[in-house]
Each structure stands twice: as structure tokens, then as C-alpha cells.
Amino acid sequence: MRTVYVNGDYLPEDEAKVSIFDRGFLMADGVYEVTSVLDGKLIDFAGHAARLDRSLAELDMAAPVTHDELLAIHRELVSRNGIEEGMVYLQITRGAPDDRDFAFPDPEATPSTIVLFTQNKPGLADSPVAKQGIKVISIEDIRWGRRDIKTVQLLYPSMGKMMAKKAGADDAWMIEDGHVTEGTSNNAYIVKGGKIITRPTSNDILHGITRAAVLRFAQEAQMEIEERLFTIDEAKDADEAFITSASTFVMPVVEIDGVPLGDGTPGKVAPRLREIYLDESRKAAI
Ligand code: PDD
């Protein structure tokens, strides 16, 4: 049985409790982070901690722990659960006031709720799926306008994943005004004539921690990068495509809405970026 962390305590997962009045449960009033673990170490912890601070600040929520405490909790859970490859999930909500009310509770009277848990994923880095690539469909992006904040409002992304499954695909890319915003739980890229094209960061997409690292590594490897909007038609006509996230690293996309990209196999750029990302991230892991 897993050991999880809830509001200061390490507990067996079946003893961990959160109030039914928690605003995370009642209102999706909370933020989260996902940090991957390779070789028993955390990948880009500093990036995830910095984005967490930003998400909290944008929603006027206080951070219940310092970065040092957060790092210690992550490490303790990785160690207690014997995670070599996997993920650490962190959720912070605006806590559990006495009554349900749309207005935010007084933070002095209602401390935030903090929960962390691990998911063990042996073989995460050496994924057979990455060798094959994934298929995506396109769906309309009907999410709210602050996608840069990593909130726990994940219903539409879940629905998108189900629409993809139903269509025999692996994931969905979301489209707004004809342009791709991002995947249900990842950032989206196409490759045309050797150039990597991805949407610039704004309130429209999550500022992926993996995205920032991958673009930095691509630049260091002298690859050409263009941060601009791209349409779904342009994507279907691309040589290659891929996604990035903490849980998939760099994952090739080989088909969009049933249209194979190139020869329908992962291509050159995405597999190379995956290799560079994994190598560099392992070296910098803490
Ligand atoms: N998802 N865009 C969205 C909508 C996401 O949910 C995520 C992450 C990303 C990539 O961000 P990062 O590189 O920092 O993981 C982009 C996580 C993995 C999840 O919900 O499981």
C-alpha cells in the first residue's frame, strides 16, 4: 500500500482523508503539479515549484509549505514508496470552510489543503509507445480563458481523452479559432522542413515545464524553433509532430484525425529530442 502525504502527515493511502467541504471537491478550487521521477530522482523540481507559486499567486492562494519543505516531502514519498520511475502528484486547494459558499473563505480561518501521492511507472522512460508514436484527434477547445494556471478543473481534458479513445486514438489536440492550443494534458508541436513550430505561451495554454526545457535543448542543439500559432490543417501537412509533458517527456505523434504524418512513423526530430531531454534531465535530476 502506498504512503501519501496529507496536511503534514505521512499516511497509508486508505487512512488519508479530506473533508467533504473541501473547495477542491466542491468547486475545483485548487491547483496541482506533476513531477516525474527517473532513477529515483526528481526531474525539474525547481521548474514545477516555480510554476506552483505562480498558479497559487494568480488565484490568491497562500503557499502552505516552502520550496524546501516541498522538496523534502517529494523525496520522502519517493523513498517510502520505492519509486524508481514514476510521478509525484501534488494538489493544493483553498481548504475546507464550515459552509459551502462561492466567496473565498478567510485564509486565516481556513488553511489550504495539501495532498501529495506517487504513481509508480516502471518503464516510463523506455516506453514502447514512444518508439511507435501516438495518434491524436482534433476537438474544439472549450476550456476557460486562464489555461496558464494549472488548476484541477480537468473535466474537459478528461472528456477529450475519452473522445480520442472512442475514435481509436490516444489523445486529442484542442483547436481554438482554427489554431491548435495544446493537447489534453501536454503541449503540442509540429515539425516542417526541420523547423520546430509551437504555440507561444500566453493565457491560452499551460506553460509546460517540459516545453521550456525541450526548447532550450533544441536551441542548444542548433535546431530551428518558431513560436507561432499553427492550424490543424498545417499540422496534418507537417513532416512530424510531437507532444511534451512531465509524464510523456517528448512523445512523437504519427497521425492526426486519421491522416498519417510523413510515412506514419516517429521521424527524426522528436526521437532525437526525446533522447536529449532524457539524458539532460537525468543529469540534472535531484
Ligand atoms: N499535464 N498542457 C496541459 C493542459 C497539461 O495538463 C500539461 C501537463 C502540459 C505540460 O506541462 P508539463 O510539461 O509541465 O508537464 C501542457 C500533466 C502532466 C498532467 O495533468 O498529468
Side-chain angles (χ1 to χ4, degrees):
M1 189 184 301
R2 227 182 326 212
T3 297
V4 302
Y5 177 91
V6 183
N7 297 328
D9 296 320
Y10 293 94
L11 297 166
E13 63 184 63
D14 63 352
E15 286 174 28
K17 288 190 174 60
V18 174
S19 164
I20 66 154
F21 293 106
D22 195 279
R23 288 181 62 93
F25 175 61
L26 294 179
M27 311 237 166
D29 186 0
V31 300
Y32 77 112
E33 278 297 330
V34 185
T35 304
S36 54
V37 176
L38 291 176
D39 312 320
K41 291 181 181 166
L42 300 161
I43 304 299
D44 221 333
F45 175 80
H48 290 282
R51 186 174 60 192
L52 174 67
D53 280 352
R54 184 176 178 277
S55 294
L56 290 168
E58 290 296 317
L59 296 176
D60 241 338
M61 282 169 65
V65 287
T66 64
H67 282 194
D68 285 348
E69 287 165 334
L70 207 53
L71 175 59
I73 299 165
H74 275 72
R75 285 178 160 163
E76 187 67 24
L77 285 181
V78 167
S79 153
R80 288 196 190 205
N81 293 296
I83 309 292
E84 277 300 306
E85 290 197 0
M87 263 87 67
V88 183
Y89 289 83
L90 150 73
Q91 309 231 161
I92 297 176
T93 77
R94 208 182 300 274
D98 291 338
D99 287 316
R100 181 185 184 279
D101 189 345
F102 279 82
F104 293 171
D106 174 2
E108 296 293 324
T110 305
S112 48
T113 301
I114 175 167
V115 169
L116 285 93
F117 60 91
T118 53
Q119 285 192 182
N120 194 24
K121 296 272 173 200
L124 186 66
D126 193 25
S127 150
V129 181
K131 293 183 181 77
Q132 206 178 302
I134 61 162
K135 297 173 183 176
V136 303
I137 58 164
S138 60
I139 61 173
E140 201 188 333
D141 196 338
I142 60 167
R143 297 173 300 161
W144 78 326
R146 288 304 305 274
R147 304 161 192 155
D148 56 310
I149 308 173
K150 198 164 171 63
T151 75
V152 297
Q153 306 173 88
L154 296 172
L155 183 54
Y156 189 63
S158 293
M159 289 168 72
K161 212 68 109 172
M162 295 313 291
M163 290 183 238
K165 270 193 181 193
K166 208 171 162 195
D170 305 291
D171 200 5
W173 278 13
M174 293 179 279
I175 314 293
E176 190 169 61
D177 300 328
H179 296 105
V180 175
T181 52
E182 58 188 334
T184 59
S185 59
N186 44 70
N187 291 116
Y189 309 73
I190 58 172
V191 181
K192 187 82 184 167
K195 195 185 290 177
I196 299 162
I197 300 159
T198 195
R199 192 180 179 104
T201 52
S202 67
N203 289 353
D204 299 337
I205 62 169
L206 187 74
H207 304 186
I209 301 307
T210 320
R211 177 187 184 282
V214 165
L215 292 183
R216 192 171 69 244
F217 298 142
Q219 204 157 20
E220 285 166 11
Q222 320 293 334
M223 295 180 183
E224 220 184 320
I225 300 158
E226 201 177 342
E227 289 186 70
R228 65 163 171 86
L229 303 196
F230 62 90
T231 65
I232 191 69
D233 288 337
E234 200 180 353
K236 286 177 199 168
D237 192 41
D239 303 326
E240 275 185 52
F242 61 94
I243 57 167
T244 65
S245 75
S247 48
T248 60
F249 310 121
V250 178
M251 179 65 72
V253 170
V254 293
E255 195 180 292
I256 302 174
D257 287 334
V259 179
L261 302 184
D263 63 2
T265 66
K268 287 206 178 76
V269 174
R272 176 154 175 243
L273 274 177
R274 182 180 176 89
E275 202 179 302
I276 298 174
Y277 177 78
L278 286 172
D279 282 354
E280 295 298 323
S281 299
R282 280 184 201 277
K283 275 189 232 160
I286 61 169

